[in-house]
């Protein structure tokens, strides 16, 4: 699946790495748990309030390609081919970014930059799944705190979380550029503080000719997290900071009517944020709009 659009002079394309279908859609109860401060009765009440009574999260993997005057960049790369993590039946449903890139008319060697919002496997494995760099000409970018954490201070985490991040760091080597917040990586591509989900979690702002798009990575996984911005997940490293970043970024997007790219929402993951009292709501853009 490919959705093309523009942000000013920036030509963009959301290329799906896949979207799991039942029974492979992840349970909401694994994302919003009593251990992260979401009691079961509160989760049930929230889904009932939606009027859907759903129990699963419709989880997409929306990679964002941007053609800039400094070269072609992709923001996050999906799970990659041959992903073993959720069971053998999941593989045909994910790992499609490479094929989508070709369908969009690009070769792997066309990519000049890979921008990582963070180094969790579902954002990085598409760049390293062959056991070598999938995009041989690309420079990688990740926040310096992210690189430092996964390089040496993540020993308390299970191997399945550490290994993909360390593979990125090893394979890119000197071509993985540690960056800071508030800088322009490529013309029109800017880093924004979104820390909390991981130590260097980064949002990306595209800005050109007065138009803007805010790419939020894992700032939220599901519209429920907009209605309940204090809800956390087991994958948030710093609970308080993740909530603070989410509230700040959602408020900015709502108050300035920014176009938003949400990595994990159903394809193409584009929409706007609306304020609802002290919370927010998601207004998706149709794939053809």
């Amino acid at each position: 699946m490919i959705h093309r659009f523009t942000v000013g002079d920036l030509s963009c394309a959301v290329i799906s790495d896949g979207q799991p279908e039942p029974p492979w859609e992840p349970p909401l109860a694994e994302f919003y748990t009593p251990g992260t401060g979401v009691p079961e009765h509160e989760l049930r009440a929230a889904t009932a309030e939606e009027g859907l009574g759903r129990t699963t999260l419709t989880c997409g993997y929306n990679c964002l390609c941007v053609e800039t005057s400094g070269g072609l960049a992709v923001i996050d790369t999906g799970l990659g081919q041959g992903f073993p993590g959720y069971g053998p039946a999941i593989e045909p449903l994910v790992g499609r970014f490479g094929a989508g890139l070709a369908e969009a008319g690009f070769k792997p060697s066309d990519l000049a930059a890979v921008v990582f919002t963070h180094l969790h496997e579902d954002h990085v494995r598409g760049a390293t799944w062959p056991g070598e760099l999938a995009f041989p000409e690309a420079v990688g970018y990740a926040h310096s705190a992210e690189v430092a954490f996964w390089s040496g201070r993540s020993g308390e985490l299970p191997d399945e979380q550490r290994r993909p991040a360390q593979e990125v760091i090893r394979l890119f080597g000197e071509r993985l550029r540690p960056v800071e917040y508030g800088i322009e990586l490529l013309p029109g591509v800017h880093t924004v503080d979104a820390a909390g989900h991981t130590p260097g979690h980064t949002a990306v702002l595209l800005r050109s000719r007065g138009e803007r798009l805010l790419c939020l990575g894992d700032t939220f996984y599901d519209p429920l997290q907009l209605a309940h911005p204090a809800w956390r997940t087991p994958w948030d490293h710093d609970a308080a900071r993740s909530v603070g970043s989410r509230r700040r970024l959602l408020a900015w997007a709502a108050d300035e009517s920014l176009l938003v790219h949400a990595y994990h929402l159903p394809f193409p993951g584009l929409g706007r944020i609306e304020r609802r009292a002290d919370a927010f709501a998601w207004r998706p853009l149709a794939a053809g709009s």
Side-chain angles (χ1 to χ4, degrees):
M1 294 186 287
I2 302 170
H3 175 71
R4 298 181 188 272
F5 63 105
T6 59
V7 177
D9 288 330
L10 301 173
S11 295
C12 303
V14 178
I15 301 178
S16 175
D17 190 57
Q19 187 163 299
E21 301 168 355
W24 297 103
E25 289 185 330
L28 283 169
E30 290 183 2
F31 281 73
Y32 310 115
T33 71
T36 63
V38 185
E40 290 181 23
H41 71 272
E42 189 174 329
L43 178 58
R44 287 196 302 270
T47 56
E49 188 176 315
E50 288 182 324
L52 303 175
R54 63 189 173 102
T55 59
T56 61
L57 181 147
T58 303
C59 187
Y61 301 91
N62 300 307
C63 306
L64 179 59
C65 284
V66 186
E67 295 184 68
T68 79
S69 60
L72 177 67
V74 63
I75 302 170
D76 291 334
T77 63
L79 283 161
Q81 294 183 27
F83 177 65
Y86 310 144
I90 196 68
E91 183 181 342
L93 303 176
V94 298
R96 297 179 173 182
F97 174 65
L101 193 70
E103 184 181 343
F106 300 116
K107 303 185 298 295
S109 59
D110 290 337
L111 279 173
V114 178
V115 180
F116 296 113
T117 61
H118 62 300
L119 299 185
H120 280 164
E121 67 178 349
D122 55 328
H123 296 255
V124 306
R125 194 173 178 274
T128 61
W129 69 266
E132 60 186 18
L133 293 179
F135 312 114
E137 303 302 320
V139 172
Y141 295 97
H143 193 272
S144 59
E146 194 76 1
V147 176
F149 176 76
W150 295 107
S151 293
R153 292 186 283 139
S154 60
E156 73 280 7
L157 297 175
D159 284 347
E160 60 265 25
Q161 287 192 42
R162 290 189 292 116
R163 192 178 299 114
Q166 292 176 348
E167 185 82 338
V168 168
I169 293 166
R170 181 181 70 81
L171 289 177
F172 273 92
E174 293 183 355
R175 290 169 61 191
L176 181 62
R177 308 280 174 82
V179 300
E180 304 302 324
Y181 297 130
I183 67 168
E184 188 173 36
L185 297 178
L186 293 163
V189 181
H190 306 259
T191 60
V192 176
D193 183 353
H197 178 63
T198 59
H201 187 242
T202 301
V204 179
L205 179 69
L206 304 184
R207 187 169 64 206
S208 174
R209 293 180 56 192
E211 297 183 9
R212 293 177 294 174
L213 176 145
L214 184 61
C215 177
L216 285 176
D218 281 4
T219 298
F220 64 93
Y221 286 92
D222 185 272
L224 282 171
Q225 236 175 332
L226 277 68
H228 304 271
W231 283 14
R232 308 182 305 277
T233 75
W235 300 279
D236 293 333
H237 289 248
D238 185 325
R241 195 170 183 187
S242 70
V243 171
S245 288
R246 181 160 46 254
R247 288 190 180 277
R248 170 174 48 82
L249 292 169
L250 292 177
W252 179 29
D255 292 346
E256 300 195 16
S257 193
L258 301 179
L259 181 62
V260 166
H261 171 268
Y263 185 75
H264 282 302
L265 291 194
F267 181 84
L270 296 172
R272 298 190 190 275
I273 307 296
E274 296 179 345
R275 280 191 179 270
R276 298 285 174 85
D278 61 347
F280 305 90
W282 176 249
R283 180 160 59 88
L285 269 61
S289 63

